[in-house]
Amino acid sequence: MKLEDAKVLVVEDSVGMQSYVVHLLKRLNVQSIEVCDNGKQALQRLKSFLPDVILSDIHMAPVDGFEFLRRLRECRPDTSRGWTPLIYLSADASVESLRAAIAQGAAGYIVKPPRPEVLRIKLLQAMNGGEAFSAAT
């Protein structure tokens, strides 16, 4: 899948980071972008918007990124299309959070602020079924 054909859901509580990520996605020619402030809002939005990939912060309230992915998997079981890949986008660079993301089955992890090339590569890897846990953060 090409980035210009992708539908991306950004789940981020910081308005400034929302704007930055949306700006990067537009520079990468992503045309369909939806933004939610937290995991609870994103779960509601997913009732009518089916993204190809989700970019989610981890530390948000009332539903954080880890809980969001857990609930997402519960309410949207694996289909012929597969799980919707989720890439964590977080300022938390701790080994514990990275291990938790891998254990949870996230498609990738990017430390904020994302660099355009890293975001492009990880989006393409996740949408095309590749491993997005590379050394580039």
Side-chain angles (χ1 to χ4, degrees):
M1 170 177 274
K2 297 177 184 177
L3 287 176
E4 52 267 15
D5 299 327
K7 291 187 256 180
V8 179
L9 176 63
V10 177
V11 186
E12 169 63 57
D13 59 348
S14 163
V15 174
M17 187 55 65
Q18 284 176 1
S19 296
Y20 179 72
V21 172
V22 167
H23 172 75
L24 287 182
L25 290 169
K26 287 181 179 180
R27 280 183 49 198
L28 294 171
N29 294 320
V30 175
Q31 303 298 310
S32 181
I33 306 165
E34 295 285 327
V35 178
C36 293
D37 294 331
N38 60 62
K40 182 178 180 182
Q41 189 181 74
L43 288 167
Q44 289 297 315
R45 184 66 186 109
L46 287 168
K47 292 178 181 177
S48 60
F49 179 71
L50 183 60
D52 297 301
V53 66
I54 300 168
L55 294 171
S56 178
D57 189 9
I58 293 176
H59 303 292
M60 305 175 286
V63 176
D64 71 13
F66 290 131
E67 180 68 12
F68 167 61
L69 182 54
R70 187 187 67 73
R71 288 188 192 180
L72 174 66
R73 297 274 170 84
E74 285 177 356
C75 72
R76 294 186 106 166
D78 194 8
T79 64
S80 60
R81 174 189 134 130
W83 295 106
T84 301
L86 182 142
I87 299 170
Y88 284 117
L89 182 63
S90 180
D92 182 351
S94 71
V95 172
E96 294 80 18
S97 290
L98 180 58
R99 284 185 182 145
I102 292 169
Q104 196 178 28
Y109 198 101
I110 301 172
V111 176
K112 292 178 190 173
R115 294 188 321 259
E117 186 60 18
V118 170
L119 182 61
R120 185 185 74 76
I121 289 168
K122 293 204 178 196
L123 284 169
L124 288 169
Q125 288 171 333
M127 290 186 307
N128 293 305
E131 178 57 57
F133 281 100
S134 62
T137 56

mmCIF file of all heavy atoms in Angstrom, residues 73-122:
data_model
loop_
_atom_site.group_PDB
_atom_site.id
_atom_site.type_symbol
_atom_site.label_atom_id
_atom_site.label_comp_id
_atom_site.label_asym_id
_atom_site.label_seq_id
_atom_site.Cartn_x
_atom_site.Cartn_y
_atom_site.Cartn_z
ATOM 1 N N ARG A 73 -8.282 -4.494 20.278
ATOM 2 C CA ARG A 73 -8.196 -5.905 19.907
ATOM 3 C C ARG A 73 -9.396 -6.696 20.405
ATOM 4 O O ARG A 73 -9.813 -7.653 19.767
ATOM 5 C CB ARG A 73 -6.890 -6.503 20.434
ATOM 6 C CG ARG A 73 -5.660 -5.847 19.823
ATOM 7 C CD ARG A 73 -5.283 -6.477 18.512
ATOM 8 N NE ARG A 73 -4.274 -5.788 17.756
ATOM 9 C CZ ARG A 73 -2.969 -5.912 17.913
ATOM 10 N NH1 ARG A 73 -2.496 -6.695 18.849
ATOM 11 N NH2 ARG A 73 -2.150 -5.246 17.136
ATOM 12 N N GLU A 74 -9.963 -6.294 21.531
ATOM 13 C CA GLU A 74 -11.151 -6.973 22.061
ATOM 14 C C GLU A 74 -12.385 -6.701 21.208
ATOM 15 O O GLU A 74 -13.172 -7.591 20.941
ATOM 16 C CB GLU A 74 -11.440 -6.528 23.495
ATOM 17 C CG GLU A 74 -10.508 -7.103 24.512
ATOM 18 C CD GLU A 74 -10.795 -6.565 25.909
ATOM 19 O OE1 GLU A 74 -11.675 -5.692 26.085
ATOM 20 O OE2 GLU A 74 -10.102 -7.013 26.840
ATOM 21 N N CYS A 75 -12.553 -5.451 20.781
ATOM 22 C CA CYS A 75 -13.769 -5.086 20.047
ATOM 23 C C CYS A 75 -13.640 -5.280 18.548
ATOM 24 O O CYS A 75 -14.643 -5.303 17.853
ATOM 25 C CB CYS A 75 -14.196 -3.657 20.380
ATOM 26 S SG CYS A 75 -13.152 -2.368 19.691
ATOM 27 N N ARG A 76 -12.424 -5.413 18.043
ATOM 28 C CA ARG A 76 -12.202 -5.613 16.611
ATOM 29 C C ARG A 76 -11.314 -6.827 16.424
ATOM 30 O O ARG A 76 -10.112 -6.711 16.301
ATOM 31 C CB ARG A 76 -11.522 -4.404 15.994
ATOM 32 C CG ARG A 76 -12.388 -3.178 16.027
ATOM 33 C CD ARG A 76 -11.701 -2.141 15.286
ATOM 34 N NE ARG A 76 -12.407 -2.017 14.036
ATOM 35 C CZ ARG A 76 -12.256 -1.019 13.213
ATOM 36 N NH1 ARG A 76 -11.396 -0.099 13.472
ATOM 37 N NH2 ARG A 76 -12.939 -0.958 12.108
ATOM 38 N N PRO A 77 -11.918 -7.998 16.427
ATOM 39 C CA PRO A 77 -11.102 -9.199 16.287
ATOM 40 C C PRO A 77 -10.387 -9.243 14.944
ATOM 41 O O PRO A 77 -10.749 -8.541 14.002
ATOM 42 C CB PRO A 77 -12.120 -10.330 16.413
ATOM 43 C CG PRO A 77 -13.432 -9.713 16.083
ATOM 44 C CD PRO A 77 -13.338 -8.266 16.461
ATOM 45 N N ASP A 78 -9.365 -10.075 14.893
ATOM 46 C CA ASP A 78 -8.594 -10.276 13.675
ATOM 47 C C ASP A 78 -9.537 -10.709 12.556
ATOM 48 O O ASP A 78 -10.399 -11.548 12.753
ATOM 49 C CB ASP A 78 -7.535 -11.349 13.931
ATOM 50 C CG ASP A 78 -6.475 -11.393 12.858
ATOM 51 O OD1 ASP A 78 -6.455 -10.505 11.994
ATOM 52 O OD2 ASP A 78 -5.670 -12.327 12.897
ATOM 53 N N THR A 79 -9.388 -10.108 11.404
ATOM 54 C CA THR A 79 -10.235 -10.443 10.255
ATOM 55 C C THR A 79 -9.332 -10.895 9.114
ATOM 56 O O THR A 79 -8.124 -10.982 9.265
ATOM 57 C CB THR A 79 -11.039 -9.207 9.795
ATOM 58 O OG1 THR A 79 -10.112 -8.217 9.338
ATOM 59 C CG2 THR A 79 -11.884 -8.644 10.917
ATOM 60 N N SER A 80 -9.928 -11.134 7.981
ATOM 61 C CA SER A 80 -9.130 -11.530 6.815
ATOM 62 C C SER A 80 -8.130 -10.431 6.456
ATOM 63 O O SER A 80 -7.083 -10.689 5.892
ATOM 64 C CB SER A 80 -10.039 -11.825 5.623
ATOM 65 O OG SER A 80 -10.791 -10.669 5.307
ATOM 66 N N ARG A 81 -8.438 -9.225 6.800
ATOM 67 C CA ARG A 81 -7.556 -8.092 6.561
ATOM 68 C C ARG A 81 -6.430 -8.025 7.595
ATOM 69 O O ARG A 81 -5.426 -7.382 7.401
ATOM 70 C CB ARG A 81 -8.417 -6.824 6.613
ATOM 71 C CG ARG A 81 -7.704 -5.547 6.532
ATOM 72 C CD ARG A 81 -8.680 -4.425 6.825
ATOM 73 N NE ARG A 81 -8.013 -3.547 7.751
ATOM 74 C CZ ARG A 81 -7.913 -2.253 7.602
ATOM 75 N NH1 ARG A 81 -8.520 -1.667 6.642
ATOM 76 N NH2 ARG A 81 -7.250 -1.540 8.437
ATOM 77 N N GLY A 82 -6.602 -8.717 8.699
ATOM 78 C CA GLY A 82 -5.607 -8.697 9.765
ATOM 79 C C GLY A 82 -5.898 -7.590 10.764
ATOM 80 O O GLY A 82 -6.813 -6.790 10.586
ATOM 81 N N TRP A 83 -5.114 -7.572 11.842
ATOM 82 C CA TRP A 83 -5.247 -6.517 12.838
ATOM 83 C C TRP A 83 -4.898 -5.174 12.210
ATOM 84 O O TRP A 83 -4.009 -5.095 11.371
ATOM 85 C CB TRP A 83 -4.278 -6.730 13.987
ATOM 86 C CG TRP A 83 -4.503 -7.949 14.812
ATOM 87 C CD1 TRP A 83 -3.738 -9.077 14.791
ATOM 88 C CD2 TRP A 83 -5.522 -8.179 15.769
ATOM 89 N NE1 TRP A 83 -4.228 -9.982 15.684
ATOM 90 C CE2 TRP A 83 -5.320 -9.454 16.304
ATOM 91 C CE3 TRP A 83 -6.588 -7.414 16.238
ATOM 92 C CZ2 TRP A 83 -6.141 -9.989 17.283
ATOM 93 C CZ3 TRP A 83 -7.401 -7.954 17.211
ATOM 94 C CH2 TRP A 83 -7.181 -9.219 17.720
ATOM 95 N N THR A 84 -5.555 -4.125 12.645
ATOM 96 C CA THR A 84 -5.141 -2.788 12.243
ATOM 97 C C THR A 84 -3.818 -2.505 12.945
ATOM 98 O O THR A 84 -3.755 -2.534 14.168
ATOM 99 C CB THR A 84 -6.191 -1.736 12.659
ATOM 100 O OG1 THR A 84 -7.437 -2.061 12.059
ATOM 101 C CG2 THR A 84 -5.755 -0.346 12.237
ATOM 102 N N PRO A 85 -2.745 -2.269 12.195
ATOM 103 C CA PRO A 85 -1.456 -2.040 12.849
ATOM 104 C C PRO A 85 -1.451 -0.724 13.622
ATOM 105 O O PRO A 85 -1.983 0.280 13.168
ATOM 106 C CB PRO A 85 -0.457 -2.007 11.699
ATOM 107 C CG PRO A 85 -1.253 -1.776 10.466
ATOM 108 C CD PRO A 85 -2.650 -2.233 10.731
ATOM 109 N N LEU A 86 -0.864 -0.781 14.814
ATOM 110 C CA LEU A 86 -0.743 0.389 15.660
ATOM 111 C C LEU A 86 0.735 0.627 15.942
ATOM 112 O O LEU A 86 1.441 -0.284 16.355
ATOM 113 C CB LEU A 86 -1.500 0.197 16.978
ATOM 114 C CG LEU A 86 -1.474 1.396 17.932
ATOM 115 C CD1 LEU A 86 -2.807 1.553 18.635
ATOM 116 C CD2 LEU A 86 -0.344 1.282 18.943
ATOM 117 N N ILE A 87 1.172 1.845 15.690
ATOM 118 C CA ILE A 87 2.535 2.260 15.987
ATOM 119 C C ILE A 87 2.461 3.247 17.145
ATOM 120 O O ILE A 87 1.750 4.254 17.066
ATOM 121 C CB ILE A 87 3.205 2.941 14.779
ATOM 122 C CG1 ILE A 87 3.284 1.985 13.591
ATOM 123 C CG2 ILE A 87 4.594 3.465 15.158
ATOM 124 C CD1 ILE A 87 3.716 2.655 12.290
ATOM 125 N N TYR A 88 3.162 2.929 18.226
ATOM 126 C CA TYR A 88 3.213 3.876 19.333
ATOM 127 C C TYR A 88 4.133 5.025 18.980
ATOM 128 O O TYR A 88 5.189 4.842 18.395
ATOM 129 C CB TYR A 88 3.686 3.197 20.622
ATOM 130 C CG TYR A 88 2.613 2.349 21.249
ATOM 131 C CD1 TYR A 88 2.770 0.979 21.386
ATOM 132 C CD2 TYR A 88 1.435 2.920 21.700
ATOM 133 C CE1 TYR A 88 1.786 0.198 21.957
ATOM 134 C CE2 TYR A 88 0.439 2.153 22.255
ATOM 135 C CZ TYR A 88 0.619 0.792 22.391
ATOM 136 O OH TYR A 88 -0.371 0.031 22.948
ATOM 137 N N LEU A 89 3.695 6.212 19.361
ATOM 138 C CA LEU A 89 4.419 7.457 19.130
ATOM 139 C C LEU A 89 4.492 8.137 20.495
ATOM 140 O O LEU A 89 3.487 8.664 20.965
ATOM 141 C CB LEU A 89 3.635 8.298 18.125
ATOM 142 C CG LEU A 89 4.200 9.616 17.676
ATOM 143 C CD1 LEU A 89 5.517 9.413 16.945
ATOM 144 C CD2 LEU A 89 3.201 10.302 16.761
ATOM 145 N N SER A 90 5.640 8.038 21.161
ATOM 146 C CA SER A 90 5.705 8.470 22.547
ATOM 147 C C SER A 90 7.028 9.135 22.886
ATOM 148 O O SER A 90 8.069 8.804 22.316
ATOM 149 C CB SER A 90 5.505 7.254 23.459
ATOM 150 O OG SER A 90 5.551 7.634 24.818
ATOM 151 N N ALA A 91 6.981 10.046 23.840
ATOM 152 C CA ALA A 91 8.206 10.646 24.369
ATOM 153 C C ALA A 91 8.881 9.696 25.348
ATOM 154 O O ALA A 91 10.023 9.896 25.727
ATOM 155 C CB ALA A 91 7.880 11.969 25.058
ATOM 156 N N ASP A 92 8.190 8.653 25.742
ATOM 157 C CA ASP A 92 8.705 7.649 26.669
ATOM 158 C C ASP A 92 9.658 6.724 25.926
ATOM 159 O O ASP A 92 9.250 5.889 25.132
ATOM 160 C CB ASP A 92 7.535 6.857 27.259
ATOM 161 C CG ASP A 92 7.958 5.823 28.277
ATOM 162 O OD1 ASP A 92 9.178 5.568 28.427
ATOM 163 O OD2 ASP A 92 7.064 5.261 28.931
ATOM 164 N N ALA A 93 10.942 6.889 26.186
ATOM 165 C CA ALA A 93 11.958 6.078 25.520
ATOM 166 C C ALA A 93 12.459 4.953 26.422
ATOM 167 O O ALA A 93 13.514 4.376 26.166
ATOM 168 C CB ALA A 93 13.125 6.955 25.082
ATOM 169 N N SER A 94 11.684 4.609 27.446
ATOM 170 C CA SER A 94 12.132 3.586 28.394
ATOM 171 C C SER A 94 12.082 2.192 27.776
ATOM 172 O O SER A 94 11.226 1.886 26.940
ATOM 173 C CB SER A 94 11.271 3.622 29.663
ATOM 174 O OG SER A 94 9.970 3.136 29.397
ATOM 175 N N VAL A 95 12.994 1.362 28.217
ATOM 176 C CA VAL A 95 13.047 -0.030 27.762
ATOM 177 C C VAL A 95 11.769 -0.759 28.171
ATOM 178 O O VAL A 95 11.248 -1.581 27.421
ATOM 179 C CB VAL A 95 14.298 -0.735 28.334
ATOM 180 C CG1 VAL A 95 14.290 -2.217 28.039
ATOM 181 C CG2 VAL A 95 15.560 -0.095 27.794
ATOM 182 N N GLU A 96 11.235 -0.424 29.334
ATOM 183 C CA GLU A 96 10.018 -1.075 29.811
ATOM 184 C C GLU A 96 8.840 -0.821 28.878
ATOM 185 O O GLU A 96 8.084 -1.740 28.555
ATOM 186 C CB GLU A 96 9.657 -0.596 31.234
ATOM 187 C CG GLU A 96 10.654 -0.992 32.290
ATOM 188 C CD GLU A 96 11.893 -0.084 32.333
ATOM 189 O OE1 GLU A 96 11.858 1.045 31.791
ATOM 190 O OE2 GLU A 96 12.912 -0.519 32.902
ATOM 191 N N SER A 97 8.678 0.411 28.433
ATOM 192 C CA SER A 97 7.568 0.726 27.520
ATOM 193 C C SER A 97 7.761 0.059 26.169
ATOM 194 O O SER A 97 6.808 -0.439 25.573
ATOM 195 C CB SER A 97 7.428 2.237 27.346
ATOM 196 O OG SER A 97 6.950 2.812 28.534
ATOM 197 N N LEU A 98 8.985 0.037 25.678
ATOM 198 C CA LEU A 98 9.267 -0.634 24.414
ATOM 199 C C LEU A 98 8.964 -2.122 24.526
ATOM 200 O O LEU A 98 8.312 -2.690 23.648
ATOM 201 C CB LEU A 98 10.715 -0.412 23.989
ATOM 202 C CG LEU A 98 11.146 -1.070 22.685
ATOM 203 C CD1 LEU A 98 10.294 -0.602 21.516
ATOM 204 C CD2 LEU A 98 12.617 -0.801 22.412
ATOM 205 N N ARG A 99 9.391 -2.750 25.606
ATOM 206 C CA ARG A 99 9.098 -4.179 25.810
ATOM 207 C C ARG A 99 7.595 -4.427 25.899
ATOM 208 O O ARG A 99 7.086 -5.398 25.359
ATOM 209 C CB ARG A 99 9.786 -4.681 27.073
ATOM 210 C CG ARG A 99 11.259 -4.898 26.901
ATOM 211 C CD ARG A 99 11.873 -5.503 28.146
ATOM 212 N NE ARG A 99 13.302 -5.660 27.966
ATOM 213 C CZ ARG A 99 14.192 -5.514 28.914
ATOM 214 N NH1 ARG A 99 13.810 -5.211 30.145
ATOM 215 N NH2 ARG A 99 15.472 -5.682 28.666
ATOM 216 N N ALA A 100 6.879 -3.542 26.596
ATOM 217 C CA ALA A 100 5.425 -3.679 26.723
ATOM 218 C C ALA A 100 4.758 -3.558 25.357
ATOM 219 O O ALA A 100 3.827 -4.305 25.041
ATOM 220 C CB ALA A 100 4.869 -2.637 27.685
ATOM 221 N N ALA A 101 5.237 -2.636 24.535
ATOM 222 C CA ALA A 101 4.669 -2.459 23.187
ATOM 223 C C ALA A 101 4.889 -3.702 22.339
ATOM 224 O O ALA A 101 3.974 -4.158 21.640
ATOM 225 C CB ALA A 101 5.302 -1.237 22.513
ATOM 226 N N ILE A 102 6.079 -4.256 22.396
ATOM 227 C CA ILE A 102 6.369 -5.472 21.634
ATOM 228 C C ILE A 102 5.507 -6.629 22.135
ATOM 229 O O ILE A 102 4.895 -7.354 21.334
ATOM 230 C CB ILE A 102 7.873 -5.820 21.725
ATOM 231 C CG1 ILE A 102 8.697 -4.771 20.978
ATOM 232 C CG2 ILE A 102 8.147 -7.216 21.153
ATOM 233 C CD1 ILE A 102 10.189 -4.859 21.214
ATOM 234 N N ALA A 103 5.424 -6.789 23.453
ATOM 235 C CA ALA A 103 4.632 -7.870 24.035
ATOM 236 C C ALA A 103 3.161 -7.752 23.676
ATOM 237 O O ALA A 103 2.466 -8.757 23.505
ATOM 238 C CB ALA A 103 4.802 -7.880 25.556
ATOM 239 N N GLN A 104 2.700 -6.528 23.531
ATOM 240 C CA GLN A 104 1.290 -6.282 23.222
ATOM 241 C C GLN A 104 0.979 -6.501 21.744
ATOM 242 O O GLN A 104 -0.166 -6.547 21.355
ATOM 243 C CB GLN A 104 0.934 -4.861 23.654
ATOM 244 C CG GLN A 104 -0.537 -4.601 23.738
ATOM 245 C CD GLN A 104 -0.834 -3.204 24.223
ATOM 246 O OE1 GLN A 104 -0.055 -2.270 24.037
ATOM 247 N NE2 GLN A 104 -1.987 -3.045 24.827
ATOM 248 N N GLY A 105 2.005 -6.606 20.931
ATOM 249 C CA GLY A 105 1.789 -6.826 19.501
ATOM 250 C C GLY A 105 1.673 -5.553 18.693
ATOM 251 O O GLY A 105 1.109 -5.561 17.597
ATOM 252 N N ALA A 106 2.213 -4.454 19.217
ATOM 253 C CA ALA A 106 2.210 -3.211 18.437
ATOM 254 C C ALA A 106 3.054 -3.410 17.187
ATOM 255 O O ALA A 106 3.976 -4.226 17.160
ATOM 256 C CB ALA A 106 2.765 -2.062 19.273
ATOM 257 N N ALA A 107 2.743 -2.659 16.157
ATOM 258 C CA ALA A 107 3.468 -2.765 14.889
ATOM 259 C C ALA A 107 4.770 -1.976 14.905
ATOM 260 O O ALA A 107 5.603 -2.157 14.028
ATOM 261 C CB ALA A 107 2.592 -2.282 13.740
ATOM 262 N N GLY A 108 4.943 -1.092 15.881
ATOM 263 C CA GLY A 108 6.159 -0.303 15.935
ATOM 264 C C GLY A 108 6.145 0.685 17.073
ATOM 265 O O GLY A 108 5.160 0.804 17.801
ATOM 266 N N TYR A 109 7.261 1.407 17.204
ATOM 267 C CA TYR A 109 7.436 2.358 18.292
ATOM 268 C C TYR A 109 8.350 3.465 17.785
ATOM 269 O O TYR A 109 9.444 3.185 17.311
ATOM 270 C CB TYR A 109 8.095 1.654 19.480
ATOM 271 C CG TYR A 109 7.972 2.336 20.808
ATOM 272 C CD1 TYR A 109 7.041 1.912 21.741
ATOM 273 C CD2 TYR A 109 8.809 3.390 21.162
ATOM 274 C CE1 TYR A 109 6.941 2.511 22.984
ATOM 275 C CE2 TYR A 109 8.709 3.999 22.404
ATOM 276 C CZ TYR A 109 7.769 3.543 23.315
ATOM 277 O OH TYR A 109 7.668 4.152 24.540
ATOM 278 N N ILE A 110 7.889 4.703 17.871
ATOM 279 C CA ILE A 110 8.674 5.856 17.452
ATOM 280 C C ILE A 110 8.764 6.814 18.632
ATOM 281 O O ILE A 110 7.745 7.150 19.242
ATOM 282 C CB ILE A 110 8.026 6.586 16.252
ATOM 283 C CG1 ILE A 110 7.870 5.665 15.054
ATOM 284 C CG2 ILE A 110 8.846 7.829 15.887
ATOM 285 C CD1 ILE A 110 7.060 6.272 13.907
ATOM 286 N N VAL A 111 9.976 7.247 18.950
ATOM 287 C CA VAL A 111 10.163 8.224 20.019
ATOM 288 C C VAL A 111 9.928 9.621 19.443
ATOM 289 O O VAL A 111 10.442 9.959 18.381
ATOM 290 C CB VAL A 111 11.577 8.106 20.626
ATOM 291 C CG1 VAL A 111 11.806 9.180 21.683
ATOM 292 C CG2 VAL A 111 11.778 6.711 21.233
ATOM 293 N N LYS A 112 9.123 10.411 20.159
ATOM 294 C CA LYS A 112 8.811 11.780 19.740
ATOM 295 C C LYS A 112 10.027 12.673 19.901
ATOM 296 O O LYS A 112 10.796 12.484 20.833
ATOM 297 C CB LYS A 112 7.676 12.362 20.584
ATOM 298 C CG LYS A 112 6.347 11.744 20.402
ATOM 299 C CD LYS A 112 5.394 12.436 21.363
ATOM 300 C CE LYS A 112 4.066 11.766 21.456
ATOM 301 N NZ LYS A 112 3.234 12.359 22.506
ATOM 302 N N PRO A 113 10.121 13.682 19.098
ATOM 303 C CA PRO A 113 9.303 13.957 17.914
ATOM 304 C C PRO A 113 9.758 13.069 16.757
ATOM 305 O O PRO A 113 10.957 12.807 16.600
ATOM 306 C CB PRO A 113 9.595 15.431 17.606
ATOM 307 C CG PRO A 113 10.985 15.654 18.121
ATOM 308 C CD PRO A 113 11.134 14.735 19.314
ATOM 309 N N PRO A 114 8.809 12.608 15.974
ATOM 310 C CA PRO A 114 9.188 11.714 14.877
ATOM 311 C C PRO A 114 9.924 12.463 13.769
ATOM 312 O O PRO A 114 9.576 13.599 13.445
ATOM 313 C CB PRO A 114 7.844 11.182 14.378
ATOM 314 C CG PRO A 114 6.872 12.251 14.736
ATOM 315 C CD PRO A 114 7.378 12.858 16.018
ATOM 316 N N ARG A 115 10.934 11.836 13.236
ATOM 317 C CA ARG A 115 11.609 12.383 12.062
ATOM 318 C C ARG A 115 10.825 11.912 10.835
ATOM 319 O O ARG A 115 10.332 10.784 10.802
ATOM 320 C CB ARG A 115 13.056 11.900 12.009
ATOM 321 C CG ARG A 115 13.890 12.458 13.157
ATOM 322 C CD ARG A 115 15.384 12.166 13.027
ATOM 323 N NE ARG A 115 15.718 10.853 12.522
ATOM 324 C CZ ARG A 115 16.117 9.816 13.270
ATOM 325 N NH1 ARG A 115 16.219 9.950 14.568
ATOM 326 N NH2 ARG A 115 16.414 8.664 12.713
ATOM 327 N N PRO A 116 10.696 12.758 9.821
ATOM 328 C CA PRO A 116 9.878 12.404 8.649
ATOM 329 C C PRO A 116 10.260 11.067 8.017
ATOM 330 O O PRO A 116 9.376 10.260 7.702
ATOM 331 C CB PRO A 116 10.111 13.565 7.681
ATOM 332 C CG PRO A 116 10.499 14.709 8.548
ATOM 333 C CD PRO A 116 11.238 14.115 9.714
ATOM 334 N N GLU A 117 11.534 10.816 7.832
ATOM 335 C CA GLU A 117 11.950 9.578 7.167
ATOM 336 C C GLU A 117 11.645 8.345 8.020
ATOM 337 O O GLU A 117 11.227 7.315 7.508
ATOM 338 C CB GLU A 117 13.436 9.631 6.800
ATOM 339 C CG GLU A 117 13.906 8.461 5.978
ATOM 340 C CD GLU A 117 13.189 8.303 4.631
ATOM 341 O OE1 GLU A 117 12.557 9.245 4.129
ATOM 342 O OE2 GLU A 117 13.268 7.195 4.071
ATOM 343 N N VAL A 118 11.827 8.461 9.331
ATOM 344 C CA VAL A 118 11.516 7.349 10.229
ATOM 345 C C VAL A 118 10.012 7.070 10.193
ATOM 346 O O VAL A 118 9.585 5.915 10.111
ATOM 347 C CB VAL A 118 11.996 7.642 11.665
ATOM 348 C CG1 VAL A 118 11.464 6.610 12.654
ATOM 349 C CG2 VAL A 118 13.513 7.693 11.712
ATOM 350 N N LEU A 119 9.209 8.122 10.243
ATOM 351 C CA LEU A 119 7.759 7.958 10.188
ATOM 352 C C LEU A 119 7.349 7.289 8.880
ATOM 353 O O LEU A 119 6.558 6.346 8.881
ATOM 354 C CB LEU A 119 7.064 9.310 10.346
ATOM 355 C CG LEU A 119 5.536 9.280 10.357
ATOM 356 C CD1 LEU A 119 5.007 8.445 11.506
ATOM 357 C CD2 LEU A 119 4.985 10.698 10.439
ATOM 358 N N ARG A 120 7.909 7.723 7.775
ATOM 359 C CA ARG A 120 7.581 7.136 6.469
ATOM 360 C C ARG A 120 7.906 5.649 6.438
ATOM 361 O O ARG A 120 7.072 4.826 6.056
ATOM 362 C CB ARG A 120 8.341 7.856 5.360
ATOM 363 C CG ARG A 120 7.966 7.389 3.944
ATOM 364 C CD ARG A 120 8.827 8.051 2.875
ATOM 365 N NE ARG A 120 10.170 7.520 2.842
ATOM 366 C CZ ARG A 120 10.491 6.328 2.313
ATOM 367 N NH1 ARG A 120 9.576 5.562 1.794
ATOM 368 N NH2 ARG A 120 11.745 5.918 2.331
ATOM 369 N N ILE A 121 9.105 5.305 6.868
ATOM 370 C CA ILE A 121 9.535 3.904 6.827
ATOM 371 C C ILE A 121 8.662 3.039 7.726
ATOM 372 O O ILE A 121 8.200 1.964 7.324
ATOM 373 C CB ILE A 121 11.023 3.791 7.226
ATOM 374 C CG1 ILE A 121 11.902 4.370 6.120
ATOM 375 C CG2 ILE A 121 11.413 2.343 7.524
ATOM 376 C CD1 ILE A 121 13.359 4.577 6.522
ATOM 377 N N LYS A 122 8.407 3.494 8.932
ATOM 378 C CA LYS A 122 7.631 2.682 9.867
ATOM 379 C C LYS A 122 6.168 2.542 9.438
ATOM 380 O O LYS A 122 5.569 1.487 9.616
ATOM 381 C CB LYS A 122 7.769 3.214 11.279
ATOM 382 C CG LYS A 122 9.204 3.013 11.774
ATOM 383 C CD LYS A 122 9.301 2.955 13.246
ATOM 384 C CE LYS A 122 10.759 2.707 13.618
ATOM 385 N NZ LYS A 122 10.893 2.269 14.988
#
